[in-house]
Structures are given as structure tokens and as C-alpha cells.
Amino acid sequence: MLKRAGGITRRTVLQSASVVLAAPAAVRGVVAADPIKIGMPCAVTGAAGSVGTQMRRACEFWAKQVNTKGGLLGGRQIQLLFEDTGGNPATCVRKAQEMVERDGVRILTAIVASNEALATVPKLAEWDAIFVSGDNGDGRLTGESLVPNFFRPNVSGPMGTRVVALWLRDSPLKAFYGIGMDYAWGHNSMDVFEQEVKKSGRTFLGAVYSPIGTKDFSTYITKIRQSGADGVYLVLSGDDYNAFLTQAKQYRLGDKMQMLTEIADELVLQATGDASLGLIGSSRYPNSLDNPKSKEFVAAWKAEYGKEPWMFEGDQYQSCMVLQAGIEKAGSVETAKLRAALEGLQIDSIKGPITIRACDHQGEQPGFAVKVEKGPDGKPRPNVIASYPASKVTPACKQMTYTD
């Protein structure tokens, strides 16, 4: 058993120091004295663990890149402090607060679930901390629940849903049903999908919501099959997503209707194999993008891990790049200065140009519709079938819905 010394476990010290020690020996003297601490209260166990693992890996990859090049702000190294939240909002708040009070953390990222983020953001002012999202989808985070110290460079749930809705406008599908995870993100994205479907003159037949951690989807699949829909929209992630797709194949759901998804997560596609083929949805980051930043990122990632980066890895990495640009622009990690620098920030990211809007701290960026098909290696992969500009994908300031 690990012993705590002043509230810090040996494991925490080792995890926190791991990225710092990857820095060149010439700069380690500066590292120990004054690192830039970034807290990661990140779910790597539980239903969202597969997503959190990708996000953590992206942060570690980014930090290693920065540290190897000499750090930020004249040689300060990035020090990542990690705690597993298990996807529990109360645990997330508690562990984030421990990082702030115990370790002096003033920057947070890699919080996985939207309900964890919604529980955390009211505390940011008290903590004098900045939270840069790398995954959180609930539209309220840049809408009714927006706080000054929260920023979302990643794609929101409404933006992912909007991509699917734009693609559907040119499809022959007329009637839709939905299934979402029964928490903030699932309901928020399904509400946007329903509005988009009705706005385009199609029929929304209804939706069901499954508790996080559901393993048996048979009753849900039966209800979906009996709905008479042409398409079913999935707002699922992690282990729940795996279980649904595997069982949907057994029930031949894809033969009866088109399966649509907000997120085409490569880890889920690999885990479910042929059960994912034919899915149409959005990708927050398709690694096949033909731009210099993306190609450079993919090449470096493959050199490090021997594979291409996946969607959540790319989206979190982009958020880290935005954070880095904000720190460099501010010339500081003081909360007020960093907040001012992030507002209105523009960078050329791995997905193309991105602007962090000053009005609601949402990252304006392009959207990508994908279809899951077999790649050259015989494994399923999301192939881009349509791209949409940021002006079409990003909702109006502090909004979760679209007028056109």
C-alpha cells in the first residue's frame, strides 16, 4: 500500500515527475525550481476510461515535446499531475481541489465527462484556476453554465451533432430515433439532433437513454427496431458504445436502418471490428487531414507510439496547443493574464485555423463527417466524406442550437 506524506503518495510524485524527467539534462536545474504545473483529474477507469486514457496520452505527448525543446517562458518545464476520477463528478471536484490546494495547480485539463466538468467549473473562481477542456461536449459549458475561467478549444456536442445534421440534409433518410447516455452530454446532444431533424422537415420519432455503464442493450435495440426509423442516432462513448455496437450487430440493426453517431472513436471501432462498419457520423479529429500541421503531428505520434493518433488524442492535443499558445502570448501562467490571452486567441491547429471566441470561450473550427469503412489493413477506420466550415458548425455565441 502507498503511504501518504503530507497528502502526496509516492505514485503521485512519480507520475507528476515523469514528464519533467524526460527533459534534457541541461534544463533540469530550472525544472525542479519552477515547473508549470497542469492538473489532470482524468477518468482512466470506469465506463469513460478508454476516452480518458487517450486524453492522458495526448497530454503526455505534448508535454514531452515542449520539455524536450526547452520548456516555456524561458525554460520552465511542463509538470503534469494526474489523478484518476473514475468518471465521478464529486471525485473529480475533490481531486481537482486537492491539486489546487496541495500542489499549487492553477491550470486544469483532461477532465473526461461533461457532468464532471459541470461540477468543476463553479469552483474555478474560488481556486483562481483556468480549465482548458480537451473533450467535454455539453453545450451548456459555453452557454448557460459558462464561467470566465473555462475555455473549450475542442468540438462541443452540438457541433458534432450539427455536422451529422448537415450531412443528413442531402440524404434520403426521413425518420429518426435516438439513443444517448443518460447524463448531461447525452441529453444535450440528442436535444440538438431532434431540433435539427425537425428543422429540416424530417421526423424525429423519439429517443431512449441508457444509464452509464449499461452492458445489456437488448431491450433498447428492440425498441429502436420497432420504431420504424430510417436511421438511429447514437450519443454513446467508451464501454457503453462498444457494448451497443456489438449487440446491434447481433440483432442486425444496421441491416434495418442507418446507424449514425456523434463521434467516430477509433478505439471503439477497433474494439468492435465489423460491427462498426457503415456507421456515419462526425469526427472531432480525423487523422487523414491533408494539412501540414496534421501531417507533422501524425508523423511524430507514429514515431512515438507506432500507430496513428485517434480522435480523442487529436482533440486533446489541439487543446494543449491552444493552452501553450495562450501561455506564450500571456508571458505568464497567472490566471488573469492567461485568461485575457486565451480570449480571441487564433492559431493554425492540426484541424486548420481555430479561434477561441472571446464572447463564450468556444473554439471555432471546421467539422468533418465520416463513414466507417475498412482501411488498407482490413481494420475499420473513419474516412472523411464531407467537410464543413467553422461558420456552419459553430453555434452563435453562448447558444446550443442553430437558426439555419
Side-chain angles (χ1 to χ4, degrees):
M1 181 175 293
L2 296 171
K3 302 287 186 181
R4 283 192 176 270
I8 304 176
T9 67
R10 180 175 178 272
R11 176 178 296 158
T12 301
V13 172
L14 291 175
Q15 288 170 334
S16 301
S18 61
V19 175
V20 174
L21 293 177
V27 296
R28 284 185 199 152
V30 178
V31 174
D34 199 17
I36 296 172
K37 296 180 179 180
I38 298 176
M40 297 166 54
C42 179
V44 296
T45 58
S50 60
V51 176
T53 299
Q54 292 181 64
M55 295 169 66
R56 180 182 180 183
R57 187 182 299 119
C59 291
E60 291 171 343
F61 176 76
W62 165 73
K64 183 176 180 181
Q65 282 189 320
V66 171
N67 290 344
T68 300
K69 293 176 182 177
L72 301 176
L73 305 182
R76 297 178 66 182
Q77 299 288 283
I78 302 297
Q79 182 180 1
L80 301 178
L81 287 86
F82 166 79
E83 291 281 356
D84 181 19
T85 69
N88 182 283
T91 302
C92 182
V93 172
R94 175 173 59 82
K95 293 200 171 185
Q97 185 158 350
E98 288 174 358
M99 290 177 178
V100 169
E101 295 178 350
R102 179 187 67 205
D103 303 307
V105 165
R106 290 294 179 268
I107 301 172
L108 299 168
T109 192
I111 295 175
V112 177
S114 287
N115 55 356
E116 292 181 293
L118 286 165
T120 301
V121 292
K123 302 285 286 183
L124 293 177
E126 174 189 331
W127 296 341
D128 191 29
I130 293 285
F131 169 20
V132 178
S133 169
D135 154 74
N136 308 118
D138 195 305
R140 290 175 294 178
L141 287 163
T142 46
E144 64 190 57
S145 299
L146 176 67
V147 301
N149 290 0
F150 174 81
F151 292 83
R152 178 160 49 195
N154 65 278
V155 174
S156 71
M159 291 166 70
T161 299
R162 171 69 166 184
V163 167
V164 178
L166 289 171
W167 182 86
L168 285 175
R169 291 182 181 184
D170 297 320
S171 83
L173 306 177
K174 300 297 183 184
F176 302 91
Y177 202 80
I179 178 168
M181 296 176 79
D182 193 10
Y183 80 109
W185 167 58
H187 285 270
N188 177 232
S189 288
M190 196 63 69
D191 288 346
V192 174
F193 182 73
E194 178 180 358
Q195 293 171 39
E196 288 287 307
V197 165
K198 291 178 177 178
K199 191 165 56 183
S200 65
R202 318 290 174 92
T203 302
F204 185 78
L205 298 169
V208 288
Y209 297 92
S210 57
I212 298 173
T214 296
K215 292 180 171 54
D216 183 1
F217 283 90
S218 58
T219 56
Y220 297 100
I221 293 170
T222 298
K223 192 167 186 177
I224 294 166
R225 282 179 60 89
Q226 293 172 348
S227 69
D230 301 315
V232 56
Y233 187 58
L234 317 177
V235 189
L236 303 169
S237 68
D239 294 342
D240 297 55
Y241 201 0
N242 292 348
F244 179 87
L245 288 178
T246 300
Q247 292 166 42
K249 181 175 175 59
Q250 296 169 355
Y251 283 84
R252 304 179 69 87
L253 184 63
D255 295 340
K256 188 173 180 64
M257 63 186 67
Q258 175 64 56
M259 290 198 293
L260 306 159
T261 179
E262 181 182 313
I263 50 175
D265 173 7
E266 290 91 342
L267 185 60
V268 170
L269 307 186
Q270 296 287 324
T272 57
D274 288 355
S276 66
L277 294 176
L279 268 174
I280 291 175
S282 72
S283 174
R284 296 182 177 187
Y285 169 69
N287 58 40
S288 58
L289 291 180
D290 187 16
N291 69 64
K293 291 287 186 182
S294 181
K295 288 181 176 179
E296 179 183 355
F297 169 56
V298 171
W301 189 276
K302 288 177 71 174
E304 182 73 18
Y305 299 109
K307 72 171 190 69
E308 295 175 328
W310 288 343
M311 186 190 75
F312 286 114
E313 291 164 339
D315 219 21
Q316 175 67 62
Y317 179 79
Q318 174 175 270
S319 290
C320 289
M321 294 301 295
V322 167
L323 173 59
Q324 177 180 341
I327 291 172
E328 292 171 335
K329 179 181 175 183
S332 171
V333 290
E334 292 179 24
T335 299
K337 292 180 180 179
L338 181 54
R339 180 176 61 241
L342 286 169
E343 291 183 339
L345 182 72
Q346 297 180 334
I347 70 166
D348 185 15
S349 80
I350 57 175
K351 287 185 272 186
I354 176 173
T355 300
I356 306 300
R357 293 194 302 209
C359 66
D360 64 357
H361 301 174
Q362 173 61 55
E364 294 181 330
Q365 57 204 288
F368 308 97
V370 297
K371 183 174 183 180
V372 179
E373 300 170 317
K374 284 190 176 181
D377 59 359
K379 296 179 180 179
R381 63 174 294 137
N383 292 324
V384 177
I385 56 175
S387 299
Y388 304 98
S391 59
K392 282 285 188 183
V393 171
T394 316
C397 183
K398 296 185 180 180
Q399 300 299 310
M400 294 184 290
T401 57
Y402 301 79
T403 57
D404 63 328

